[in-house]
């Protein structure tokens, strides 16, 4: 078949062709000088490209060589670096050093900073660039704009989902205190506690984390805190959302100490261990596999893992 806008001919004329590269390659004709013209650009084909047009055997030889090299590479490789717009993450770890509850009981948590470092490593292996991962924590020496205050957390949640498009992925982690507190309307509601002693209600998290999502986007939320339960109603969310919490709405989340004496939240530590068993080439686990691997272990320590998700997938996966 003749290319569009080209008069019938037994040989290709030396002329401007309005055709695609695929049409030129499939022709296998000898071309002395060809100019390709499209809606986007005009450029003269290089001598190297013309050589392949003249001799398809050279192109075939290179293809065979590339296939052989590919077979010699490892089967599984770390995911390539992704665009900072395709994948974004917000990691929040609050230890509340030196703070107390109104009852006088200390607020200190020992594993939240370790949790942030665990998830940062996982995200790096999943291909998240450094500038796509925002960390807010109250480590000593942290700049004021990186402290997990009320204003910084709300602003970071807003930036996490602004401009989200189909097939974009977002990851949110919170390690800290979660309490039941009176809302503005007088009803009791759940909220996370910031390092400056303020409360971020679930309704605010829904507003900034879930409502901006669009169809075919993905949000993964990990809440390694107390009193999680089923925090959000996901039935009306058009995106793929997976929420996992450390315990039910009336339970206390525990911390664990590993062989190196480092402390971590139990959910973060064991969930990351399960992800590492799968391997960095995939890093996704089906929901029932999480319950099978961790449910019984947590139940022995008085914790029931809570999992909720939007009903958009036949098979539900936890995926950073």
């Amino acid at each position: 078949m003749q290319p569009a806008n080209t008069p019938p001919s037994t040989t290709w004329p030396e002329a401007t062709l309005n055709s695609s590269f695929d049409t030129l390659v499939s022709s296998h004709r000898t071309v002395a000088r060809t100019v390709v013209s499209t809606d986007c650009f005009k450029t003269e084909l290089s001598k190297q490209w013309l050589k392949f047009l003249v001799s398809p055997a050279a192109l075939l030889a290179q293809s065979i060589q590339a296939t052989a090299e590919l077979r010699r590479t490892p089967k599984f490789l770390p995911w390539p670096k992704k665009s900072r717009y395709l994948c974004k993450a917000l990691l929040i770890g609050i230890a509340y050093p030196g703070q107390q509850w109104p009852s006088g009981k200390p607020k200190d948590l020992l594993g939240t900073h370790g949790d942030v470092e665990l998830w940062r490593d996982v995200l790096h292996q999943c291909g998240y660039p450094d500038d796509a991962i925002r960390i807010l924590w109250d480590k000593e020496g942290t700049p004021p704009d990186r402290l997990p205050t009320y204003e910084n957390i709300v602003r970071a949640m807003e930036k996490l989902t602004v401009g989200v498009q189909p097939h974009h992925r977002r990851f949110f982690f919170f390690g800290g205190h979660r309490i039941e507190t009176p809302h503005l309307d007088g009803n009791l509601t759940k909220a996370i506690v910031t390092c400056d002693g303020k409360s971020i209600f679930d309704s605010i998290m829904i507003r900034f984390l879930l409502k901006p999502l669009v169809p075919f986007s993905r949000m993964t939320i990990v809440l390694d805190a107390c009193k999680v339960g089923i925090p959000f109603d996901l039935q009306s969310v058009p995106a793929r959302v997976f929420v996992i919490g450390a315990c039910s709405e009336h339970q206390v989340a525990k911390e664990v100490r590993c062989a190196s004496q480092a402390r971590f939240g139990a959910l973060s530590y064991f969930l990351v261990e399960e992800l590492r068993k799968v391997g960095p080439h995939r890093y996704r686990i089906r929901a029932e596999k999480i319950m099978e691997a961790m449910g019984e272990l947590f139940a022995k320590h008085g914790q029931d893992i809570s999992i909720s998700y939007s009903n958009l997938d036949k098979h539900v996966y936890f995926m950073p």
Side-chain angles (χ1 to χ4, degrees):
M1 179 175 293
Q2 295 293 337
N5 301 324
T6 303
S9 176
T10 57
T11 59
W12 289 105
E14 182 177 343
T16 299
L17 304 179
N18 290 318
S19 60
S20 64
F21 282 109
D22 291 338
T23 305
L24 290 174
V25 172
S26 64
S27 67
H28 300 299
R29 306 296 182 110
T30 301
V31 182
R33 182 176 179 273
T34 304
V35 176
V36 175
S37 178
T38 68
D39 294 337
C40 300
F41 66 93
K42 291 183 178 180
T43 181
E44 185 172 355
L45 292 176
S46 65
K47 292 182 180 179
Q48 186 70 18
W49 182 250
L50 290 175
K51 182 182 70 174
F52 290 138
L53 289 176
V54 174
S55 177
L59 185 60
L60 178 62
Q62 280 211 351
S63 176
I64 294 174
Q65 182 181 0
T67 303
E69 292 178 356
L70 181 62
R71 288 176 177 173
R72 289 195 295 268
T73 59
K75 186 175 181 181
F76 298 119
L77 296 173
W79 288 0
K81 292 294 183 181
K82 298 181 176 61
S83 163
R84 60 194 296 266
Y85 302 104
L86 176 63
C87 298
K88 284 185 180 181
L90 174 58
L91 310 179
I92 303 172
I94 311 179
Y96 312 95
Q99 297 187 32
Q100 294 183 337
W101 296 105
S103 62
K105 185 179 178 179
K107 284 186 177 181
D108 300 65
L109 297 174
L110 303 179
T112 52
H113 294 165
D115 295 341
V116 167
E117 293 172 344
L118 276 180
W119 287 113
R120 179 179 58 188
D121 292 343
V122 168
L123 295 176
H124 280 158
Q125 294 181 54
C126 287
Y128 283 67
D130 288 334
D131 61 352
I133 303 174
R134 181 77 171 179
I135 294 178
L136 301 179
W137 55 7
D138 51 358
K139 259 190 172 183
E140 185 177 356
T142 301
D145 64 328
R146 296 300 178 98
L147 290 173
T149 62
Y150 180 94
E151 289 77 11
N152 288 345
I153 292 177
V154 171
R155 188 181 301 112
M157 288 194 298
E158 182 179 13
K159 289 182 178 180
L160 180 66
T161 54
V162 66
V164 67
Q165 298 294 324
H167 307 296
H168 285 190
R169 287 162 51 186
R170 300 294 183 259
F171 183 87
F172 176 85
F173 168 78
F174 175 80
H177 287 302
R178 182 173 163 84
I179 61 173
E180 193 172 47
T181 184
H183 198 269
L184 299 176
D185 57 8
N187 297 322
L188 290 177
T189 185
K190 300 293 194 305
I192 60 175
V193 182
T194 65
C195 74
D196 51 350
K198 298 180 180 179
S199 300
I200 297 179
F201 299 110
D202 286 352
S203 59
I204 298 177
M205 298 179 70
I206 292 173
R207 174 185 173 186
F208 290 108
L209 295 181
L210 300 182
K211 285 191 175 181
L213 299 177
V214 299
F216 301 107
S217 60
R218 180 182 294 273
M219 170 67 78
T220 302
I221 298 176
V222 179
L223 300 175
D224 202 343
C226 303
K227 305 179 186 298
V228 177
I230 307 297
F232 313 122
D233 180 9
L234 303 177
Q235 300 305 312
S236 60
V237 179
R240 291 177 170 88
V241 180
F242 190 105
V243 182
I244 182 168
C247 57
S248 70
E249 60 181 345
H250 300 299
Q251 293 177 332
V252 176
K254 306 291 179 60
E255 292 185 337
V256 296
R257 179 181 296 168
C258 64
S260 64
Q261 302 302 309
R263 303 284 293 254
F264 303 95
L267 174 65
S268 295
Y269 181 79
F270 288 111
L271 185 53
V272 169
E273 285 295 304
E274 292 300 318
L275 285 172
R276 286 173 175 166
K277 291 177 184 178
V278 175
H281 57 283
R282 293 185 65 188
Y283 265 167
R284 67 176 188 175
I285 309 178
R286 291 180 62 165
E288 56 265 31
K289 177 64 176 178
I290 295 176
M291 298 303 297
E292 177 185 339
M294 300 169 55
E296 184 177 352
L297 174 65
F298 273 57
K300 290 180 180 179
H301 295 84
Q303 283 183 242
D304 298 315
I305 298 174
S306 66
I307 293 178
S308 56
Y309 46 84
S310 55
N311 297 321
L312 295 178
D313 293 322
K314 181 178 179 181
H315 302 295
V316 180
Y317 291 94
F318 172 89
M319 184 186 301

